[in-house]
């Protein structure tokens, strides 16, 4: 599933794929924002970790968990 995080005051965004469930990502980000934590840590599907300061988060877009279909649909 793809995660896209918009960073405040910049035109760029952080985008990566993760193996975590959408509910787990949503829960981690919401918990960090509710607890006024200074950062949230997320991991991608390749094992890389991302530490994102919560003060800089403009938005978080969580993709769907369905796999892409290959081929033609009649």
């Amino acid at each position: 599933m793809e995660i896209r995080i918009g960073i405040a005051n910049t035109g760029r965004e952080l985008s990566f794929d993760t193996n975590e469930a959408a509910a787990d990502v949503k829960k981690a980000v919401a918990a960090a924002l509710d607890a006024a934590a200074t950062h949230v840590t997320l991991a991608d599907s390749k094992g890389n970790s991302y530490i994102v300061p919560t003060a800089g988060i403009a938005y978080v877009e969580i993709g769907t968990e369905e796999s892409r279909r290959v081929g033609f649909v009649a």
Side-chain angles (χ1 to χ4, degrees):
M1 150 183 52
E2 184 179 12
I3 305 293
R4 293 176 23 177
I5 301 174
I7 307 299
N9 301 320
T10 184
R12 299 192 60 149
E13 64 185 15
L14 176 62
S15 178
F16 59 93
D17 290 325
T18 183
N19 294 331
E20 295 182 35
D24 294 340
V25 173
K26 184 187 262 187
K27 188 183 298 183
V29 172
L33 292 172
D34 288 341
T38 58
H39 67 278
V40 62
T41 303
L42 300 169
D44 69 4
S45 57
K46 297 177 185 176
N48 299 320
S49 293
Y50 298 92
I51 300 172
V52 182
T54 55
I57 295 177
Y59 64 89
V60 177
E61 181 179 326
I62 301 172
T64 60
E65 292 185 34
E66 72 180 49
S67 61
R68 297 180 185 183
R69 289 190 263 170
V70 177
F72 296 98
V73 177

